Amino acid sequence: MKKTRPKKQRSPRRSEDETRGAILVAARTVFMSNGFAAANVSGIAKEAGVSTKTIYRFFDTKTDILVDVIKSFLEMILPSFDRYDAHDAASLEDALIRMLRELAEHGLSENGNAANRLALAEIARVPEMVAAYYREGHEKIIDGLARWLDRRRRDGLLKLDDPHMAAAMLLSMAFADLTRDATVSNKPPSGDEIDRWVAGAVKIFLKGVGVPDAEHMAPRKPRAATRR
């Protein structure tokens, strides 16, 4: 009697979202390993286990893939700003510190540092890649923080003429030096370094734009009348 071989089980087909996600993970790996200019769609397809035809079903160009890689990274690192409430001067300082620490956990991590180094390495060869990196990354973070600061301004906790500029300045104070040092040394900053820079930046920022909490202000004593 002839034996029949068992049929091989087919691996379950990926959904569209799963396929797109696999492409983005593969693209991030290829970009970080080879650089954006040297990376190619066939290499990304091989890493993702799909055909180049499948990639072009989702993306028109390599830059489009990069933009979505950045967006997917942002979804991980951008804090949910609405979670950070503030109702007085003390809670405002605490909320800003916690928010910036959360940003630092990802933006100054090994992956965040690698992304910064990639942008610097490609700035002359592929200016459109760097423009996409900052438009979809840095600017989106500034916009999110600016909207949060503007709500605090409307609540009477901050005095701001330009929330977007204020957000950019606060992020620069907190992270510019740490990012530069991490990029040069290829080593993320320690938690203590991040805490020190974040707390210092928030303190300086609030000295410039914070509104004193009326509950903590000592009432002035009326001057005694002088006798003539």
Side-chain angles (χ1 to χ4, degrees):
M1 188 174 178
K2 192 175 180 181
K3 291 183 180 179
T4 57
R5 291 183 181 179
K7 291 183 179 179
K8 287 184 179 179
Q9 292 283 337
R10 286 186 178 181
S11 56
R13 292 186 64 183
R14 290 170 172 165
S15 68
E16 293 286 282
D17 287 343
E18 288 170 336
T19 302
R20 188 185 188 92
I23 293 170
L24 294 179
V25 170
R28 185 165 64 240
T29 300
V30 172
F31 289 153
M32 294 303 183
S33 300
N34 304 336
F36 181 80
N40 55 60
V41 173
S42 61
I44 295 170
K46 184 178 179 181
E47 180 73 22
V50 300
S51 66
T52 54
K53 184 178 178 181
T54 298
I55 289 184
Y56 283 121
R57 199 171 80 236
F58 291 96
F59 304 98
D60 292 331
T61 67
K62 189 170 67 169
T63 301
D64 290 336
I65 301 174
L66 173 75
V67 167
D68 271 31
V69 167
I70 296 167
K71 287 179 177 177
S72 67
F73 184 62
L74 271 184
E75 287 174 3
M76 293 189 295
I77 75 167
L78 265 181
S80 176
F81 290 104
D82 291 335
R83 287 195 294 109
Y84 295 98
D85 195 16
H87 49 82
D88 57 19
S91 61
L92 177 65
E93 181 174 5
D94 178 67
L96 282 170
I97 287 174
R98 288 187 293 113
M99 188 189 303
L100 294 179
R101 277 178 181 159
E102 185 177 343
L103 274 172
E105 283 178 13
H106 298 283
L108 294 172
S109 65
E110 287 187 11
N111 283 337
N113 191 30
N116 283 324
R117 290 172 67 87
L118 173 63
L120 286 174
E122 305 288 9
I123 195 166
R125 288 182 294 180
V126 199
E128 70 273 15
M129 170 264 175
V130 180
Y133 174 77
Y134 284 104
R135 182 183 68 248
E136 300 297 334
H138 190 61
E139 284 298 321
K140 291 286 175 67
I141 295 171
I142 292 175
D143 289 343
L145 179 56
R147 287 191 292 272
W148 190 90
L149 293 176
D150 193 44
R151 288 195 292 272
R152 305 292 84 78
R153 179 192 63 81
R154 294 198 300 270
D155 292 340
L157 295 175
L158 294 171
K159 48 181 189 292
L160 293 171
D161 295 326
D162 188 337
H164 190 272
M165 181 182 288
M169 287 180 171
L170 175 56
L171 290 168
S172 292
M173 279 196 295
F175 300 135
D177 281 75
L178 290 175
T179 302
R180 181 202 62 205
D181 293 346
T183 302
V184 171
S185 67
N186 199 21
K187 181 181 176 184
S190 68
D192 288 342
E193 287 178 298
I194 291 172
D195 287 346
R196 186 163 60 88
W197 276 91
V198 164
V202 169
K203 196 168 288 292
I204 292 170
F205 179 76
L206 290 178
K207 279 185 179 179
V209 301
V211 174
D213 187 353
E215 293 178 1
H216 294 93
M217 292 177 66
R220 291 184 179 180
K221 294 181 179 179
R223 289 183 180 181
T226 54
R227 293 182 181 178
R228 292 192 175 183

